[in-house]
Amino acid sequence: MVLTDDQKAMLEGRYGEGAAYAMKIQVGIGECFDAPRMVPIKRAHVALSNQAGDLWFAEKLVKAGAKCRVAPTVNPGFCLSWFCGKWPHPVDEEDYKHMQRTDNAYRTLGAVLSYNCTPYIATNVPNFGEVCAFSESSATPYVNAVWGARSNRESANSALCAAITGCVPEYGLLLDENRKGNIIVHVEADMKTPYEYHLLGMMGDLIGEGIPVFTGLPKVIPPEALRNLGAQLNTSGAYGMYHIVGFTPEAPTLEAALGGNKPIREVVIKDKDLQDFAEKFSDENPGGKVDFAMFGCPHFTLEEAMYIAHKIEGKKLAIPMYILVSSHAVQMAERMGVSKVLADAGADLIPDTCPDQPVWHYLIGKTGVTESPKCAYYPRRRGIRFILRDLDTCIEAAMTGEVK
Ligand code: F3S
């Protein structure tokens, strides 16, 4: 790899041990992918997980004196003040210390402590063609496909290294030739709400490996639907990029999306494929009594919180409802009176928090209802069961305590 004088100096330790360590990792990644050089970035998102490996790496960089040149936004852990405000509060001493250490490490490194996994919708939005370093399942395909920015599917660690060094190795999705689609996915299903995009994203087995080019989708697709599509594509498979013909910026036509190449595969997705997935999921978790409802994996937008508030205003929920959002959405909801409407009905709007965190241990053995397959997928490993339904059915279930 050819490095600039400044990059060489960083690798040799002129900017300290931490920066040298980060640069060494990135040069190693670049060499694995035959990257010819490093290119500068002005934007990054780190999918911190608040889990042991992630914390070990962040603290190692802190001890080595690393500081971010580019302040990255970060993923959720869990909101200490919200959970400790509950009585009796469910936070183990060990989990409390862990979250505090994560908070301290990323503060010291100079990250933006956003604790939100959908920064690409409002707080960390790249320009068309901008090179950046985004980790997180829904974030990388969103910045590549929807904004036309350029990011590889970074890990939390490589994105943090990029934030520290201010550059990334030039390979993969940073290059024109690797951004072209090679699988045509004809969507013949009725894509009414963001829920159907969750299900479409779970079709990774049908779509297979490559860059999908979706045809047949509506002309206008809301950000929540695109967020869901990317999140689930990376739950059912591994996709850093996709195209939607006539909608995403690098796909004005099918030919442009394919870059003049022949597709390696064509796939048709019908209503039945989406229904089969939802039914199979429901076979594993048949309907009936539920103990709680959870939304916001990925984090819900303010508009989605407003939608739920509108639906439950003046009513009382039969079971707890947890709505996970950004701290910005919480602030706006408080100013607008949306939080009060939700709270009066018995719903909680929670910032900074992911369902895949140990703090939810008090839900182990219980059954929740959610509209997100990803929300159901990860907490299952922790012993929390979920039933999957569309959002309106989930809201209805929260009012009766039962899924029909
Ligand atoms: Fe976000 Fe956590 Fe779900 S990071 S997408 S809320 S698993």
Side-chain angles (χ1 to χ4, degrees), residues 117-322:
C117 55
T118 58
Y120 48 81
I121 287 183
T123 52
N124 196 357
V125 180
N127 294 309
F128 180 82
E130 180 180 342
V131 175
C132 49
F134 271 59
S135 47
E136 174 51 29
S137 59
S138 70
T140 315
Y142 203 105
V143 299
N144 277 312
V146 180
W147 297 131
R150 297 187 173 211
S151 173
N152 278 309
R153 238 176 127 241
E154 301 285 353
S155 69
N157 297 349
S158 66
L160 180 55
C161 289
I164 290 166
T165 61
C167 56
V168 284
E170 189 180 43
Y171 72 97
L173 290 171
L174 273 45
L175 304 171
D176 287 349
E177 62 268 29
N178 298 325
R179 299 175 64 80
K180 305 299 178 197
N182 56 4
I183 307 164
I184 302 180
V185 183
H186 302 281
V187 181
E188 294 180 3
D190 188 9
M191 306 300 286
K192 296 185 294 287
T193 70
Y195 174 66
E196 282 78 33
Y197 290 80
H198 271 315
L199 301 181
L200 178 62
M202 290 306 288
M203 297 294 112
D205 278 353
L206 277 181
I207 296 168
E209 196 180 333
I211 297 185
V213 179
F214 294 100
T215 69
L217 292 177
K219 286 272 169 272
V220 178
I221 308 173
E224 291 84 356
L226 297 163
R227 171 203 63 195
N228 293 352
L229 177 62
Q232 310 305 346
L233 280 172
N234 284 316
T235 301
S236 69
Y239 300 88
M241 176 72 179
Y242 61 80
H243 298 277
I244 299 174
V245 175
F247 185 80
T248 54
E250 291 168 69
T253 62
L254 180 62
E255 293 68 34
L258 294 169
N261 301 320
K262 271 196 170 298
I264 55 169
R265 200 174 313 122
E266 292 201 38
V267 182
V268 178
I269 294 182
K270 299 178 185 263
D271 282 322
K272 184 169 180 334
D273 298 305
L274 305 188
Q275 279 156 14
D276 283 352
F277 169 81
E279 269 163 33
K280 181 170 179 288
F281 206 90
S282 298
D283 279 343
E284 289 166 18
N285 294 288
K289 198 179 147 317
V290 279
D291 303 300
F292 67 96
M294 188 179 282
F295 310 120
C297 176
H299 278 178
F300 260 22
T301 58
L302 175 65
E303 288 72 15
E304 287 171 307
M306 289 163 64
Y307 178 80
I308 297 173
H310 174 70
K311 287 260 176 186
I312 65 176
E313 184 162 16
K315 300 175 180 147
K316 281 281 172 214
L317 299 179
I319 52 174
M321 178 191 281
Y322 306 110

Side-chain angles (χ1 to χ4, degrees), residues 45 47-49 75-77 116-118 120 136-138 227 231-232 235 295-300 324 353-357 372 374-375 378-379 381:
H45 177 74
L48 69 77
S49 66
N75 252 24
N116 162 234
C117 55
T118 58
Y120 48 81
E136 174 51 29
S137 59
S138 70
R227 171 203 63 195
Q232 310 305 346
T235 301
F295 310 120
C297 176
H299 278 178
F300 260 22
L324 313 178
T353 302
C354 166
D356 192 22
Q357 288 288 314
S372 161
K374 187 175 180 184
C375 183
Y378 288 105
R381 299 173 310 171

Side-chain angles (χ1 to χ4, degrees), residues 327-345:
S327 53
H328 175 257
V330 168
Q331 286 272 327
M332 289 302 118
E334 276 168 12
R335 288 184 190 180
M336 295 164 67
V338 174
S339 299
K340 183 167 183 327
V341 172
L342 291 169
D344 286 350

